[in-house]
Amino acid sequence: MNENQLETIISERIRQQGRITFCDYMAACLYEPGLGYYTSPGRKVGTAGDFYTSITVHAAFGRVVAREIARMWRSLGQPAGFTLVEVGAGHGRLACDIMDFLAQREPDCYAASTLLLVEQEPTLAEAQAALLSAHAQKLGWRSPAQLAELRFSGVVYSNELLDAMPVHRVVMTAEGLREIYVTLQGGQLAEQLDQPSTPQLEQYLARYGTPLLVGQEAEVSLAGLVWLETVAAALERGFVLTIDYGFPKEELYTPRRRQGTLLCYHQHRVEDNPYIRLGQQDITTHINFSALMERGEELGLTTVWFGEQYRFLLSAGMVEEFEAIERAELSEADKLKARLTLKRLIMPEGGMGDTFRVLVQSWGVGQPQLGCIKGIGL
């Protein structure tokens, strides 16, 4: 029902106003009120959903992130007012794991902390409030538009946020850069190449990309830059922690990726056709970490650390999580199961450990003392 209704809406939109950019099409597929993938009912992650995330694998992920957040608080001089802002919190699992750990293991940091959840879909607030009920006195909510109005010291963190932001798709031709539009042919959705809808696309690739070969497709996330600019303006002092799958520009725009990185996920199957199951499948792209770092430097953010998720987790506290398993009163079989589960988070060579990258940026912090900076085993 959702699929037909959303397709009807998008098709009618094209009939009335003409072709639309893929960016606008992707935005409708993911965020059309009540019908988009992220704005409609249904489980998106976990066994019963369409994909796994690190937070659905084991609570240790959130606990390790919380350890690093506590170090960020100490690096800021242990302020009495410390604001945590999670953008794109979903059902609140990561936020809950972080707050539970701080309450249990870092009570001083917890006492100083408040948590703001920034969510485009307001109906998620009820589920988030239920999951975080133990921390109700510390909770608040804001819309993405209200994020721009905030001024605070603390940490802005996100997990798999930017990969779901709508992107423009481009292709290099012998005549120059062209944008991929979505139109109708014979009543069916189809692609059309034409001049870029905005000069910002070529400017982005010139500043934050690498030269494309003729025939090579790529994605451009202008929304990702706008998000970073908003965060930088809101943060008076503190850190930006971004966890997502992506690459530096040399890896992202390599000629080996001639078709770009756009993928769809449905019931744990990878799809490459974004024009089916509208509103029923996730549409994602790998993010350009070079753009975040370089634009961040232009805005005044300092790149503190960037690397694979397994390096971040092992440096920030995953070893302690393994040690806790060994101390726990569990059977050997249960300990083995727990160890194997944690290993999914740090397994390199195509696993979550190196598929996901972590970027830590700071604003107004002299010499932060973070686990990721010290490195693995230190």
Side-chain angles (χ1 to χ4, degrees), residues 307-377:
E308 298 90 344
Q309 177 173 290
Y310 81 90
R311 294 183 184 278
F312 174 84
L313 293 177
L314 288 173
S315 300
M318 187 59 81
V319 173
E320 288 87 340
E321 294 295 328
F322 278 102
E323 291 173 346
I325 291 173
E326 297 308 313
R327 293 193 302 268
E329 294 182 359
L330 299 171
S331 68
E332 285 305 313
D334 287 339
K335 287 184 179 181
L336 175 61
K337 182 179 179 181
R339 288 195 298 268
L340 291 175
T341 301
L342 262 60
K343 284 181 179 179
R344 290 185 59 188
L345 296 169
I346 59 175
M347 192 68 70
E349 299 181 4
M352 284 184 163
D354 63 1
T355 299
F356 288 83
R357 308 292 172 96
V358 181
L359 173 62
V360 181
Q361 296 165 289
S362 68
W363 181 281
V365 186
Q367 297 292 328
Q369 300 297 310
L370 304 181
C372 59
I373 298 175
K374 295 179 180 179
I376 299 172

Side-chain angles (χ1 to χ4, degrees), residues 3-4 8 68 79 81 87 111 148-149 154 188 213 241 271 279 326 341:
E3 179 178 328
N4 293 338
T8 298
E68 201 71 312
V87 186
E149 302 168 1
Q188 301 297 312
L213 300 180
L241 172 62
E271 306 279 356
E326 297 308 313
T341 301

Side-chain angles (χ1 to χ4, degrees), residues 139-183:
L139 281 182
W141 284 266
R142 297 292 188 276
S143 69
Q146 291 172 320
L147 177 60
E149 302 168 1
L150 296 175
R151 295 294 181 273
F152 63 91
S153 295
V155 179
V156 182
Y157 69 94
S158 64
N159 179 61
E160 293 193 61
L161 168 73
L162 276 74
D163 66 83
M165 289 188 176
V167 296
H168 294 264
R169 293 175 65 205
V170 296
V171 58
M172 182 58 70
T173 71
E175 293 74 34
L177 191 70
R178 295 293 182 265
E179 183 167 6
I180 297 174
Y181 294 84
V182 180
T183 186

Side-chain angles (χ1 to χ4, degrees), residues 89-163:
H91 287 81
R93 182 71 264 169
L94 177 57
C96 186
D97 291 341
I98 289 172
M99 295 299 282
D100 284 351
F101 179 90
L102 294 180
Q104 296 163 10
R105 302 288 297 276
E106 294 282 353
D108 291 340
C109 178
Y110 180 78
S113 299
T114 57
L115 172 65
L116 294 179
L117 302 179
V118 177
E119 195 66 57
Q120 184 162 327
E121 178 47 47
T123 61
L124 288 172
E126 184 177 351
Q128 293 166 347
L131 190 61
L132 286 151
S133 59
H135 313 287
Q137 299 304 312
K138 292 183 169 292
L139 281 182
W141 284 266
R142 297 292 188 276
S143 69
Q146 291 172 320
L147 177 60
E149 302 168 1
L150 296 175
R151 295 294 181 273
F152 63 91
S153 295
V155 179
V156 182
Y157 69 94
S158 64
N159 179 61
E160 293 193 61
L161 168 73
L162 276 74
D163 66 83

